[in-house]
Amino acid sequence: MFASSAIRAAARRGFSTSRAQFASPYHYAEGPRSNIPFNPKTKYFAVRYWSYMAVGFGAPFGIAVWQTYKTK
């Protein structure tokens, strides 16, 4: 009984959606690399990436060394 009523409801509703409104401010590009705030396909991306990682990882250690050796 439940299956037949579900089929009737699906037939009535149609389960269709409207197409995407590309002029909408709430629709963004889709696909690979579209959800990150940088472009990994640029020429010097690897250099900038590893520089950022080295500074981000090394800064706490550099600050700790500086705090250890500074005069009181």
Side-chain angles (χ1 to χ4, degrees):
M1 176 165 167
F2 178 72
S4 63
S5 63
I7 291 171
R8 278 195 304 256
R12 250 181 300 147
R13 182 171 168 200
F15 290 109
S16 63
T17 59
S18 61
R19 67 180 186 84
Q21 297 292 326
F22 292 110
S24 170
Y26 303 107
H27 182 78
Y28 299 102
E30 297 176 358
R33 294 181 299 276
S34 66
N35 60 342
I36 53 177
F38 50 84
N39 184 7
K41 294 226 163 219
T42 58
K43 188 174 183 179
Y44 297 107
F45 172 72
V47 173
R48 289 186 300 210
Y49 174 79
W50 287 111
S51 300
Y52 179 79
M53 291 297 155
V55 169
F57 183 77
F61 295 101
I63 293 168
V65 168
W66 179 67
Q67 289 290 330
T68 302
Y69 288 119
K70 80 176 185 180
T71 57
K72 293 184 181 195

